Amino acid sequence: MAKMWAGLTSGETSKIADDFNSSISFDCRMYEQDIKGSMAHAAMLSARGILSEEDAASITEGLAGILKDLKDGTLKIDPAAEDIHMFVEQVLTERIGDAGKKLHTARSRNDQVALDLRMYLREQIDEIMEKIRKLGRAVTGVAQKHTASIMPGYTHLQRAQPVTFAHHLLAYAMMLTRDLDRFSDCRKRMNISPIGSCALAGTTYDTDREMEAASLGFDGITLNSMDGVSDRDFCVELLNCIAILMMHLSRFSEEIILWSSWEFKYIELSSDYTTGSSIMPQKKNSDMAELVRGKTGRVYGDLMTLLTMLKGLPLAYNKDMQEDKEAVFDAVDTVKMCLDVFEGMISTMTVLTKRMREAAGKGFINATDLADYLVKKGLPFRDAYKISGGIVRECMAQGTVLEQFPLVAYRRFSPLFEEDVFEAIDLAACVERRISKGGPSEASVQQQLEIAERIFGGKK
Ligand code: ARG
């Protein structure tokens, strides 16, 4: 096929080169942004007297028709086209004639693709953020019901100190609040318009870049034309935000997988979000969580693709940069799917509080509280720590727990022990006494819930 850029050369390239060069199969998803960008460009050119009003009107009408036809399927994307920008311009010229050929005045595909990508991705950020809020609401919704559900908190995956399930879940809610913050920060820098940078060195026409940018909802314009066309920081930043969010979801997944195992059985996932085994009839596998964990690696790969693609590029545009889109689209599609699945999985799971409470009863997770009891009676913490360790060892040897250890036996370790020790090591009291800000006590958890609810918005 002869190219629109035929001129110096005949524009006849080999089929294999065409296939290799074409990006239409993946950049076609930006058709709406491309068309809206072109409409704004025509309006600006006409406002500056670079394009006649008639030509601008005919271009706008032609583009509106193409947009409508692409949306309703009357117009099919030509897989043989070089990219979405060429395709739209070609169809426009076929439909409206010579005016169509004037649209590309004072711009280049280099600033056009940078524009389209920013427009497309800022919408994606809005969608991702909405999904994060929805997941946040699901997580806090479950947490609300479990402010008194005691479970062991872990370090090194060893039972450590008592917390509540609400407190544990709210740790993930806090991660999601930071994710929201990161995405909105990323959006700020993304929402700057590169259009008008042209190929790399601006243009001799008296364009109005601010006007074009404002009409497309941008907050400002890029300040250096070479940077404008070659900057893909906004893609790297977005993938960084997505990678961190996926890392959070992956950690959460790991816990979901552990908690649904027979070894823990703290939760049971709804059958809507589990799969069976083709051979073992008893299996209920947490495939969704495993897939989220697995896809996290894939998203990290997308981030690395982008960083590596960019690291050796001289200014300004290089064709390598066409490789940005598949990586960034893959990450965006993946994280959106993961957020949807996660939300459903969390809001339909059954929480087995009895199992959590049982696990909390074993593992001496109130040993710190035992030491703190002695400290409050005047013993230095290190001495109290040693005595409590000795008591735990003794309990283990006898196959008992701190709650069942008789007072006389306690007193053999220290005369400071009195009847009130049992109140001090009661798990519910241990949690309640953890009044430090950000701790698991009911009051602190309520505060966390309020903040989370404010950030994630009301229940939908
Ligand atoms: N399809 C190209 C891309 O995605 C558009 C920009 C092409 N510019 C050029 N000078 N070849 O990067």
Side-chain angles (χ1 to χ4, degrees):
M1 191 172 84
K3 303 296 179 308
M4 293 178 85
W5 40 258
L8 169 67
T9 70
S10 67
E12 297 291 339
T13 42
S14 72
K15 165 94 172 67
I16 189 167
D18 279 349
D19 289 348
F20 188 61
N21 197 40
S22 171
S23 54
I24 189 100
S25 64
F26 48 87
D27 63 21
C28 60
R29 65 161 80 191
M30 304 192 300
Y31 73 85
E32 189 162 353
Q33 290 74 21
D34 193 73
I35 290 172
K36 288 188 170 157
S38 288
M39 286 175 166
H41 191 62
M44 185 279 290
L45 291 179
S46 131
R48 302 301 290 176
I50 302 165
L51 197 68
S52 72
E53 274 178 27
E54 303 80 73
D55 281 346
S58 141
I59 288 174
T60 310
E61 204 184 314
L63 287 170
I66 294 175
L67 181 57
K68 185 182 152 291
D69 294 350
L70 280 173
K71 273 196 171 158
D72 66 24
T74 350
L75 175 62
K76 298 261 177 300
I77 301 272
D78 175 8
E82 192 174 325
D83 56 31
I84 189 62
H85 327 293
M86 287 302 205
F87 173 74
V88 171
E89 196 184 321
Q90 180 123 26
V91 176
L92 181 70
T93 307
E94 279 162 19
R95 289 186 177 190
I96 68 166
D98 276 355
K101 294 190 199 157
K102 298 182 185 169
L103 170 63
H104 212 52
T105 312
R107 81 169 180 190
S108 146
R109 267 187 300 159
N110 298 349
D111 55 346
Q112 193 180 352
V113 70
L115 176 80
D116 293 1
L117 199 49
R118 285 176 189 255
M119 285 172 68
Y120 178 80
L121 293 177
R122 72 184 175 184
E123 279 173 34
Q124 295 303 310
I125 291 185
D126 294 341
E127 280 183 34
I128 292 170
M129 287 180 71
E130 196 39 53
K131 287 181 194 297
I132 297 176
R133 284 189 208 101
K134 197 158 174 231
L135 173 60
R137 290 197 288 274
V139 173
T140 44
V142 180
Q144 236 147 18
K145 298 191 198 114
H146 292 284
T147 57
S149 307
I150 291 173
M151 70 180 287
Y154 295 80
T155 62
H156 314 272
L157 205 55
Q158 302 280 333
R159 292 174 197 172
Q161 288 179 342
V163 294
T164 61
F165 192 49
H167 192 58
H168 196 127
L169 287 179
L170 284 167
Y172 287 102
M174 294 305 147
M175 297 179 215
L176 295 178
T177 66
R178 290 196 297 278
D179 287 317
L180 280 175
D181 213 32
R182 255 186 295 274
F183 279 100
S184 80
D185 193 49
C186 167
R187 196 188 190 287
K188 272 190 246 155
R189 276 177 298 279
M190 184 177 293
N191 205 33
I192 302 293
S193 166
I195 197 74
S197 302
C198 303
L200 78 160
T203 180
T204 53
Y205 294 99
D206 183 20
T207 52
D208 186 344
R209 290 191 58 205
E210 277 95 351
M211 173 200 169
E212 194 168 343
S215 72
L216 291 169
F218 283 96
D219 297 324
I221 58 166
T222 55
L223 298 178
N224 176 296
S225 61
M226 296 182 78
D227 181 47
V229 289
S230 63
D231 168 35
R232 291 294 181 273
D233 292 3
F234 62 96
C235 296
V236 178
E237 280 194 48
L238 175 58
L239 285 212
N240 173 54
C241 295
I242 296 178
I244 295 178
L245 168 57
M246 285 299 296
M247 176 269 286
H248 292 155
L249 296 185
S250 187
R251 295 182 77 172
F252 205 166
S253 294
E254 175 64 18
E255 303 221 78
I256 300 279
I257 295 159
L258 285 172
W259 291 342
S260 13
S261 71
W262 281 106
E263 283 66 21
F264 282 78
K265 264 285 170 268
Y266 289 175
I267 58 166
E268 186 160 345
L269 293 176
S270 149
S271 48
D272 288 350
Y273 291 90
T274 49
T275 59
S277 153
S278 57
I279 169 172
M280 299 164 282
Q282 85 285 11
K283 290 297 282 295
K284 206 174 167 191
N285 299 328
S286 41
D287 286 28
M288 306 305 131
E290 288 168 35
L291 265 176
V292 170
R293 190 177 58 185
K295 284 178 190 291
T296 302
R298 163 187 181 138
V299 167
Y300 290 178
D302 292 329
L303 172 61
M304 284 308 133
T305 297
L306 223 59
L307 285 169
T308 313
M309 180 273 281
L310 287 166
K311 75 181 268 291
L313 292 190
L315 298 183
Y317 178 84
N318 298 270
K319 192 67 174 224
D320 314 45
M321 290 162 74
Q322 179 165 288
E323 289 290 308
D324 58 3
K325 279 171 280 306
E326 280 167 297
V328 101
F329 294 162
D330 180 69
V332 161
D333 294 347
T334 304
V335 77
K336 279 162 64 181
M337 240 178 355
C338 289
L339 285 165
D340 283 344
V341 161
F342 227 92
E343 192 265 329
M345 182 174 70
I346 295 294
S347 43
T348 56
M349 72 184 182
T350 308
V351 183
L352 305 174
T353 52
K354 222 170 128 243
R355 286 280 307 183
M356 292 179 179
R357 182 62 187 78
E358 275 163 21
K362 296 174 204 140
F364 301 96
I365 63 178
N366 44 5
T368 316
D369 300 86
L370 186 67
D372 285 341
Y373 170 87
L374 291 174
V375 171
K376 281 176 191 149
K377 301 253 164 170
L379 216 58
F381 181 77
R382 274 294 153 229
D383 297 335
Y385 173 95
K386 209 174 237 153
I387 292 173
S388 304
I391 296 170
V392 169
R393 198 174 334 107
E394 183 62 27
C395 283
M396 281 176 170
Q398 294 184 18
T400 187
V401 293
L402 295 176
E403 290 88 331
Q404 309 289 329
F405 203 54
L407 183 59
V408 280
Y410 271 115
R411 293 180 67 85
R412 277 201 286 275
F413 284 87
S414 166
L416 292 172
F417 282 115
E418 286 168 87
E419 190 58 41
D420 60 354
V421 66
F422 296 104
E423 202 281 321
I425 57 168
D426 172 71
L427 288 187
C430 291
V431 170
E432 249 340 279
R433 269 198 311 273
R434 292 184 143 68
I435 48 162
S436 55
K437 286 217 171 109
S441 73
E442 173 83 25
S444 158
V445 165
Q446 284 306 339
Q447 258 177 16
Q448 298 177 50
L449 277 170
E450 267 167 44
I451 288 167
E453 271 158 17
R454 201 170 60 234
I455 294 173
F456 300 134
K459 288 227 170 58
K460 277 234 177 98

